Amino acid sequence: MSSTASGKNGTWRNWGGNVSARPAREVTPASVDELAAAVRRAAEDGLKVKAVGSGHSFTSIAATDGVLIRPQLLTGIRDIDREAMTVTVESGTPLKRLNVALAREGLSLTNMGDIMEQTVSGATSTGTHGTGRDSASIAAQIKGLELVTADGSVLTCSEKENPEVFAAARIGLGALGIVTAITFAVEPVFLLTAREEPMPFDRVLTDFEELWAENEHFEFYWFPHTGNTNTKRNNRSAGPERPVPQLQSWFEDEFLSNGVFQVANWVGRAVPATIPAIAQISSKALSARTYTDIPYKVFTSPRRVRFVEMEYAVPRAAVVETLRELKTMVDRSGLKVSFPVEVRTAPADDITLSTASGRDTAYIAVHMFQGTPYQRYFTAAERIFTAHEGRPHWGKVHTRDAEYFSRVYPRFAEFTELRDRLDPDRRFQNDYLRRVLGA
């Protein structure tokens, strides 16, 4: 999988293959000054500007017919401050490279999502997250930001400097400026013990509060058309390090989770009637395992089977009811769903448009294999999520608009007012932002 989305004949495409755009021009700045100059030049030419990361969003959040900024030259660590325990990185740095570089320095982020192909700015700007009882999204670990605003000036913000920009820009959707550097809180590298085991769906729901409360990081995957789940519990460990043996890791993470799963999805796409039987087999393919390793090797896993995804954040108190409704809907609908449903949690945070802003949250993600019609399934799922005041992930498929967001985000107006101030001419506007933030 190439980490950057592909471009043929000037067409940009995202990783999921469901969004494309034809920018008027592409710019790959080698410095913050060059980026600022590109923004000023776009203004002179009357063009909109968007920065694009690795194209891992399923929405058209980065699509533009104006100037497309590619940040691949803005990479690397600028500064490590061991006293403050922070690290400052250029915005185009892939999470994969950040994780490896931090580990070499004996450092780590506290929490992270399960994919590390994205750039740090793309991941944080869309609210990418893992799962955690006490630790929140990647953006919640940000201590400072540098961004180029619409007039080409460079603005820095933190809790002390421009705090109102800091509150919003950590998950800024690309609407407030182009992020050029991010300062993250880090900690000395630690070990996590992962315990993965199958568990019946009904038991997970019955014991959900307990499983959540007893583990630092709890998540599970439910296989539609079955009563089966795979659960994953990650907790800090004193060691020793016991990684998954290489051959076993290849067999389980590559052969079963990517290779066989890819073939199963091809079969399911060709003959949908086979999906429930395949789901029964898939849900039992991975046996229980326990291993201990450094954080990024436990939190993240390769995802080579391409899909399209919708994910909603619901209040944590509503997650069990929401999942029961989702299962009932799938069972009655005649839909054939070959991809598991992923469930994670996050504590409330203080970021204006974070999906966990001001409320303890559970995330429910539904996926469809790339090239399979997903609208019917996603529409039915979205109806259930929105009935619980769900907030969609900014980088995943959804049909919500500004009117809806103003109801489910108490601080929505705070964000749009800041945008009016920082980008009055809508230099960073595109169709997606027009829809989700209003004109």
Side-chain angles (χ1 to χ4, degrees):
M1 184 187 81
S2 90
S3 61
T4 38
S6 61
K8 283 192 186 115
N9 337 321
T11 301
W12 171 84
R13 276 187 212 297
N14 70 337
W15 181 85
N18 65 320
V19 178
S20 60
R22 288 189 72 107
R25 63 172 178 253
E26 288 192 20
V27 182
T28 310
S31 67
V32 176
D33 288 346
E34 279 182 26
L35 198 159
V39 171
R40 286 193 294 269
R41 196 182 142 210
E44 285 161 21
D45 296 345
L47 294 171
K48 305 288 188 197
V49 186
K50 289 281 21 133
V52 63
S54 59
H56 264 266
S57 287
F58 299 98
T59 58
S60 51
I61 190 164
T64 185
D65 55 8
V67 179
L68 190 70
I69 307 267
R70 289 191 173 271
Q72 60 257 42
L73 300 180
L74 300 173
T75 60
I77 292 180
R78 263 193 206 180
D79 176 59
I80 295 175
D81 183 337
R82 287 186 187 270
E83 216 162 288
M85 284 308 274
T86 61
V87 57
T88 302
V89 282
E90 305 274 336
S91 61
T93 309
L95 286 167
K96 192 171 9 191
R97 279 183 52 193
L98 173 63
N99 287 334
V100 171
L102 287 178
R104 264 205 308 268
E105 298 285 345
L107 301 168
S108 177
L109 292 171
T110 300
N111 199 351
M112 57 194 82
D114 62 0
I115 298 178
M116 52 176 182
E117 307 298 326
Q118 313 101 312
T119 60
V120 291
S121 57
T124 53
S125 296
T126 54
T128 296
H129 59 90
T131 189
R133 180 189 61 202
D134 314 302
S135 54
S137 71
I138 307 177
Q141 298 168 69
I142 294 177
K143 289 290 175 202
L145 280 176
E146 174 186 271
L147 63 162
V148 170
T149 55
D151 60 3
S153 58
V154 180
L155 180 78
T156 53
C157 62
S158 64
E159 276 174 7
K160 294 189 176 65
E161 189 183 7
N162 298 307
E164 72 297 344
V165 178
F166 183 66
R170 282 173 286 170
I171 298 180
L173 318 184
L176 305 173
I178 294 176
V179 175
T180 47
I182 300 175
T183 301
F184 288 106
V186 291
E187 56 176 303
V189 73
F190 52 94
L191 292 173
L192 284 170
T193 293
R195 188 172 148 205
E196 299 173 6
E197 64 174 324
M199 199 180 282
F201 181 77
D202 289 332
R203 192 186 139 201
V204 176
L205 295 198
T206 305
D207 297 348
F208 184 81
E209 271 306 300
E210 219 168 293
L211 288 161
W212 168 80
E214 286 173 5
N215 295 285
E216 290 169 67
H217 308 274
F218 173 68
E219 65 184 302
F220 71 92
Y221 295 85
W222 164 59
F223 294 81
H225 315 297
T226 79
N228 308 329
T229 78
N230 255 323
T231 62
K232 187 168 176 178
R233 289 171 257 199
N234 299 330
N235 289 289
R236 291 195 185 216
S237 160
E241 232 172 284
R242 282 211 179 91
V244 181
Q246 228 168 341
L247 185 64
Q248 184 191 347
S249 168
W250 175 84
F251 181 72
E252 293 171 345
D253 299 329
E254 284 298 340
F255 181 69
L256 289 178
S257 299
N258 283 301
V260 174
F261 189 54
Q262 174 86 40
V263 174
N265 274 284
W266 281 335
V267 173
R269 185 167 68 187
V271 191
T274 59
I275 287 175
I278 292 171
Q280 284 293 347
I281 298 163
S282 298
S283 68
K284 296 191 172 93
L286 293 171
S287 46
R289 63 178 185 174
T290 301
Y291 53 96
T292 302
D293 215 328
I294 60 172
Y296 84 84
K297 293 184 177 177
V298 173
F299 284 133
T300 69
S301 48
R303 289 271 185 278
R304 302 190 206 290
V305 183
R306 302 219 176 191
F307 53 82
V308 178
E309 179 178 1
M310 166 183 280
E311 180 188 72
Y312 265 76
V314 297
R316 204 186 72 238
V319 67
V320 170
E321 191 189 335
T322 309
L323 285 164
R324 286 197 201 283
E325 291 167 10
L326 190 67
K327 186 174 190 305
T328 303
M329 180 276 287
V330 171
D331 290 346
R332 287 181 186 162
S333 64
L335 285 163
K336 300 286 183 275
V337 181
S338 64
F339 245 86
V341 172
E342 183 180 24
V343 182
R344 296 175 288 175
T345 69
D349 65 39
D350 63 350
I351 304 169
T352 320
L353 289 188
S354 163
T355 44
S357 185
R359 74 183 190 194
D360 289 340
T361 293
Y363 294 98
I364 304 173
V366 297
H367 311 71
M368 270 296 211
F369 184 47
Q370 190 179 44
T372 312
Y374 59 84
Q375 281 80 358
R376 209 178 121 220
Y377 176 37
F378 284 12
T379 301
E382 192 172 40
R383 202 171 293 136
I384 292 167
F385 300 147
T386 53
H388 293 281
E389 298 202 328
R391 298 167 176 170
H393 187 301
W394 296 107
K396 297 176 186 175
V397 176
H398 68 88
T399 65
R400 303 295 89 192
D401 59 14
E403 196 263 328
Y404 178 84
F405 291 123
S406 65
R407 293 203 306 273
V408 296
Y409 282 101
R411 297 165 64 190
F412 187 74
E414 201 181 299
F415 189 96
T416 54
E417 280 158 22
L418 180 67
R419 180 183 179 223
D420 289 341
R421 200 182 92 207
L422 291 178
D423 187 13
D425 302 327
R426 299 290 186 263
R427 186 64 45 221
F428 303 117
Q429 174 93 292
N430 63 3
D431 291 343
Y432 180 76
L433 291 181
R434 192 176 292 115
R435 183 183 109 209
V436 302
L437 296 175

